Amino acid sequence: MDSEEGVGLLLRGHESQDIRDNFDTALKIVHRLGGLALAIDQAAAYIGYRRIALDALDEFLTEYDLQRKRILSYTPAPFWEYCKVPIHLGEDRDQAINAFTTWEMSLEQLNNDKSIDMNKVTRFLSVSAFFNPTGVEEWLFRNRWETDQTQWLGDLGATDNGANHENCSDMSNERTRDARSGSDRYGKNYEMTSTKLERKLNRPLSPHLKLKGKRRSKNHSRDGDGNRPSTHSLDRKWDSMHFLDIIDKLHRLSLVQDVKRIGQGAFFSLHPLIQDWLQLREQAKSRRVHIRESLEIVACSARLYCEPHPTGLDRRIALLAHIDACLSNDERLSEPQYQIGNEIESCGGADELVEFYCQFSRFEAATILNSRSLKTREEIFGEKHPDTLWTAHNQAAILMSRFKYHECEEMLRQTMQLAENGLGKEHPFTLTSRTFLAVMLGAQGKYDKAEPIIRQTLQLQEKALGKEHLDTILSMSNLASILVMQKNNDEAEKLFHQALQSIQKTMGTEHRDTLNIMDHSSKILLAQDKYNKTEMLFRQTLTLRQKVLGREHEDTLGTMIMLASVLKNQRKYDEAEVIFRQTLTMRQKVLGREHEDTLKSMKRLAMILKTQGKHDEADEMDRGRLELENARRTKTQDA
């Protein structure tokens, strides 16, 4: 940048005459900053924020030189190696130091603002530097606050709410109560359910062990300093305007960019060099704390957004980019022993990220994270501990999703043997592992091997848990699914009917597993060509799923597809086409245009169009699908 442009940038907003009168002093500052536009812009923000008079610009140079000496004294040699922005010896490094100096000067100005806590705002900036810098949004911090009321976040976006919690959402209060609960993690509080990770596998009612409280490690409800939420913090609610006010102050100092409101929250970005400065300006111990906090924040949102969420696909994709950035920074800047999953305290957060990655079919990344947690839990707790067994079980589920059936079976049998030895043959986890093994064998078409395993498991569950226990009912449904594949429709129909009656009595008509069994009961009727009964049951299931899960949930869309298929078999082509179109539109919105399930919806719609003689539109749909499939294949290969 030439001298005149540099002075113009430094003194932007001032009258032309004032600029001419103070040109020489301003030029000294521009030269002192090496003509680096980023540093000059930062200096202008500092001068404006401090309200330094133009005839006192020498004051800036004095402060700058003092700050620069301090920067040079604490900037470690490895800094330059770890910077993502290429910085070489000589002029590049001098210019970077110039920029760092102006940023430190600006940051220290927050000390003069009595309305904010500088230490907590600095901490907020440092943590933000480990996210995807192109778009840091308020919901990341709000989700963390509403889940755990982390103290240092309270001064960023929370205001006193007295004893009145009515302004907080029910979901927020429920999460807070859960964070403070003291339930026994490994005693009686086992809950056997069908989880998101295994539903991702698209297998019939794959069961899964869920430990109440296991996702939240013992320190999960503490802030980065190990402090539990104070009683005062629990009486506060998130205030978006207060958060935006802090972001605006940082923007006025040019420490953040692109500040705007999107929907109900604030949005900002960070310059890549500012991101490097924030990541590496502190000692390794402090940096580890900030990396851990960034990972805890994304893990919190991953737990909330793990399934298709009312906020839509855009937010989930944004979260995915933040998770990738946090893990990349953890890998780049943390010593191996401190990386997520390698410490027992971080295994719970790793579990959340594993499950979220599986939602996006990022199974390789999920495998790496889960393997770390498994190794750590084996070393700390032992291989027979419930947390270790749970993690091994998850690893098997990921292997199954990658169609690595041999490895999956080997791990399942090993886990099942450990569970039998450590917990007993009739323990819920052991029985769940047996059921999962049967489901996995069924997925390979090994029905003759799967059937005796699930029958024996069902007998043990009826004895140990009772006929109306949820696990028993789910195993009954899984057995029925295997019998359907063996063309044993009569027994399968009886089992489905019995399972449906039991679960409606035990869990209610709107429970998720009740709806799953209704869905499978419809499929057995479909296999028997009982189209009228099938259509009626699918319509009932669809109505309930829309009410309970929402119109865009994957299970709801699955039921819509089955209903449309039944209508197609009955030659009700017009209504089938309408439903196929609705399904495609919603999958494009929720999953994205290139997702495999979206492409399948395109194929189904093209087929129904051809059936009706609408060949031109069908051919156009097929061409579009093939283009998207090629694009998806190319991205996968590049990755």
Side-chain angles (χ1 to χ4, degrees):
M1 177 173 286
D2 64 36
S3 299
E4 201 163 317
E5 287 177 332
V7 172
L9 178 61
L10 182 69
L11 302 183
R12 61 182 183 271
H14 290 278
E15 298 292 335
S16 299
Q17 185 59 47
D18 291 335
I19 294 175
R20 286 194 292 270
D21 291 345
N22 296 277
F23 187 88
D24 291 342
T25 308
L27 186 60
K28 284 167 59 179
I29 294 175
V30 170
H31 287 163
R32 191 73 183 86
L33 298 177
L36 181 64
L38 198 60
I40 296 169
D41 178 69
Q42 189 67 42
Y46 176 87
I47 291 167
Y49 196 88
R50 282 281 314 277
R51 299 182 181 178
I52 297 175
L54 293 186
D55 58 3
L57 286 177
D58 285 331
E59 179 184 328
F60 171 86
L61 285 172
T62 301
E63 294 179 16
Y64 173 84
D65 287 335
L66 289 172
Q67 192 67 257
R68 195 173 196 275
K69 288 179 182 178
R70 191 172 73 84
I71 295 279
L72 288 171
S73 69
Y74 80 58
T75 304
F79 179 97
W80 312 106
E81 177 185 348
Y82 286 119
C83 274
K84 286 185 288 186
V85 177
I87 296 176
H88 307 292
L89 292 173
E91 185 178 348
D92 280 357
R93 188 168 296 187
D94 286 339
Q95 288 188 340
I97 289 291
N98 293 338
F100 300 159
T101 304
T102 57
W103 291 327
E104 288 287 353
M105 291 171 66
S106 292
L107 195 57
E108 288 198 354
Q109 288 311 297
L110 296 175
N111 267 326
N112 300 323
D113 192 332
K114 303 303 181 185
S115 66
I116 58 177
D117 184 325
M118 180 191 168
N119 291 329
K120 290 180 180 177
V121 172
T122 303
R123 185 173 183 170
F124 160 72
L125 269 177
S126 298
V127 171
S128 298
F130 294 98
F131 299 134
N132 173 26
T134 61
V136 183
E137 296 189 61
E138 179 182 339
W139 51 261
L140 283 164
F141 304 96
R142 180 171 188 160
N143 287 344
R144 176 69 169 157
W145 166 259
E146 291 184 343
T147 300
D148 286 331
Q149 303 266 304
T150 307
Q151 281 187 339
W152 71 270
L153 283 174
D155 288 340
L156 299 176
T159 54
D160 290 335
N161 194 33
N164 177 16
H165 293 278
E166 291 178 1
N167 292 325
C168 297
S169 67
D170 292 339
M171 185 181 297
S172 188
N173 289 333
E174 184 178 334
R175 293 178 200 140
T176 304
R177 286 193 298 271
D178 179 58
R180 290 175 284 168
S181 67
S183 60
D184 178 3
R185 296 174 65 219
Y186 309 123
K188 299 178 181 179
N189 289 312
Y190 285 96
E191 179 188 351
M192 310 291 285
T193 64
S194 182
T195 63
K196 292 172 270 188
L197 178 57
E198 289 198 289
R199 281 197 293 271
K200 172 66 187 171
L201 307 181
N202 197 26
R203 306 302 180 199
L205 293 172
S206 303
H208 189 73
L209 176 65
K210 197 172 183 180
L211 296 173
K212 284 190 175 179
K214 81 96 204 144
R215 290 186 183 282
R216 192 179 301 282
S217 68
K218 292 180 180 178
N219 293 323
H220 194 80
S221 60
R222 302 178 182 219
D223 68 11
D225 296 325
N227 300 317
R228 291 191 180 278
S230 66
T231 303
H232 174 69
S233 71
L234 295 173
D235 290 334
R236 307 175 78 190
K237 67 172 185 175
W238 187 263
D239 186 341
S240 289
M241 293 307 298
H242 183 52
F243 183 84
L244 182 61
D245 183 56
I246 291 174
I247 300 301
D248 184 59
K249 285 181 169 66
L250 296 173
H251 184 240
R252 285 163 53 200
L253 288 167
S254 290
L255 293 170
V256 301
Q257 303 173 335
D258 304 322
V259 174
K260 54 190 172 185
R261 285 189 68 83
I262 297 180
Q264 299 293 316
F267 170 100
F268 66 92
S269 63
L270 290 168
H271 188 282
L273 195 54
I274 290 182
Q275 184 187 32
D276 280 338
W277 164 66
L278 287 169
Q279 287 181 354
L280 298 163
R281 64 186 290 273
E282 298 189 50
Q283 298 299 318
K285 184 177 180 180
S286 296
R287 187 161 56 245
R288 283 200 300 271
V289 170
H290 296 147
I291 291 172
R292 186 185 71 218
E293 287 173 340
S294 71
L295 287 163
E296 288 175 348
I297 286 171
V298 294
C300 177
S301 285
R303 180 166 63 252
L304 298 177
Y305 301 155
C306 199
E307 290 193 343
H309 192 269
T311 52
L313 178 66
D314 290 346
R315 181 169 294 188
R316 297 176 74 234
I317 288 178
L319 176 58
L320 187 65
H322 288 306
I323 292 172
D324 286 342
C326 287
L327 289 175
S328 174
N329 287 318
D330 187 37
E331 189 79 23
R332 185 170 58 93
L333 298 171
S334 298
E335 298 93 329
Q337 67 268 29
Y338 297 118
Q339 290 172 4
I340 186 171
N342 287 338
E343 291 183 293
I344 195 65
E345 293 84 0
S346 66
C347 287
D351 293 339
E352 306 293 354
L353 302 186
V354 166
E355 200 158 311
F356 194 81
Y357 268 147
C358 287
Q359 285 285 316
F360 284 87
S361 300
R362 296 277 296 277
F363 298 118
E364 186 171 349
T367 301
I368 292 171
L369 269 180
N370 202 71
S371 297
R372 282 189 198 167
S373 296
L374 179 58
K375 182 180 178 182
T376 300
R377 284 170 169 150
E378 284 176 340
E379 291 174 352
I380 302 298
F381 295 145
E383 58 184 8
K384 296 179 183 178
H385 188 277
D387 273 15
T388 308
L389 293 172
W390 184 92
T391 312
H393 190 85
N394 251 7
Q395 191 78 348
I398 296 169
L399 289 169
M400 182 175 169
S401 71
R402 299 176 74 181
F403 306 105
K404 296 186 175 183
Y405 294 121
H406 178 72
E407 294 174 52
C408 174
E409 181 176 350
E410 185 177 340
M411 176 158 279
L412 271 178
R413 290 189 183 278
Q414 180 182 351
T415 303
M416 192 166 65
Q417 188 63 51
L418 288 169
E420 287 182 358
N421 294 339
L423 303 174
K425 289 187 177 182
E426 296 182 359
H427 190 278
F429 182 89
T430 309
L431 297 173
T432 295
S433 294
R434 292 178 61 87
T435 305
F436 187 15
L437 176 60
V439 169
M440 190 276 301
L441 292 170
Q444 299 176 74
K446 299 177 180 179
Y447 306 119
D448 292 341
K449 291 184 178 180
E451 183 189 344
I453 294 175
I454 194 68
R455 282 192 187 278
Q456 185 182 10
T457 304
L458 180 58
Q459 290 175 357
L460 290 170
Q461 286 172 327
E462 287 176 343
K463 175 185 174 184
L465 306 173
K467 291 187 176 182
E468 294 188 348
H469 192 280
L470 179 59
D471 301 340
T472 308
I473 297 169
L474 293 181
S475 290
M476 190 184 303
S477 178
N478 274 319
L479 173 57
S481 296
I482 291 171
L483 293 173
V484 169
M485 302 309 296
Q486 293 177 301
K487 307 299 181 183
N488 189 349
N489 293 331
D490 291 338
E491 185 181 1
E493 185 175 359
K494 290 178 183 178
L495 284 171
F496 271 131
H497 183 70
Q498 184 179 345
L500 184 56
Q501 282 189 323
S502 297
I503 200 167
Q504 285 176 336
K505 176 182 176 182
T506 305
M507 308 303 297
T509 58
E510 296 182 358
H511 189 272
R512 181 165 187 166
D513 287 317
T514 304
L515 299 178
N516 285 344
I517 292 177
M518 286 179 66
D519 193 68
H520 286 288
S521 296
S522 303
K523 291 173 183 176
I524 183 64
L525 292 171
L526 180 60
Q528 296 173 306
D529 297 330
K530 297 178 180 180
Y531 296 125
N532 290 333
K533 288 185 177 180
T534 304
E535 180 186 342
M536 180 181 69
L537 194 51
F538 271 134
R539 288 190 187 277
Q540 291 174 0
T541 307
L542 178 59
T543 300
L544 288 169
R545 277 185 164 163
Q546 287 174 336
K547 176 184 176 182
V548 175
L549 303 175
R551 293 180 176 275
E552 295 178 356
H553 193 278
E554 59 178 322
D555 290 352
T556 306
L557 298 179
T559 304
M560 288 177 68
I561 289 170
M562 292 305 301
L563 175 58
S565 299
V566 172
L567 293 170
K568 179 184 174 184
N569 288 340
Q570 295 175 286
R571 300 182 183 276
K572 298 178 181 179
Y573 299 128
D574 291 341
E575 187 178 1
E577 180 188 338
V578 170
I579 296 175
F580 278 134
R581 286 188 186 278
Q582 291 173 344
T583 306
L584 175 59
T585 299
M586 285 187 275
R587 278 193 164 161
Q588 287 173 334
K589 177 184 176 182
V590 175
L591 301 175
R593 298 175 70 241
E594 293 180 8
H595 193 278
E596 58 182 339
D597 289 341
T598 307
L599 297 175
K600 289 176 182 177
S601 291
M602 292 181 72
K603 187 174 183 179
R604 291 188 187 97
L605 179 56
M607 290 175 66
I608 193 74
L609 291 171
K610 289 177 182 177
T611 303
Q612 298 176 88
K614 301 177 182 180
H615 296 291
D616 290 343
E617 186 180 359
D619 291 343
E620 184 178 352
M621 183 73 63
D622 280 333
R623 285 194 295 271
R625 176 175 57 82
L626 291 173
E627 288 177 4
L628 291 169
E629 284 179 348
N630 289 333
R632 184 173 184 270
R633 193 176 300 112
T634 300
K635 288 181 181 179
T636 303
Q637 290 171 350
D638 291 343

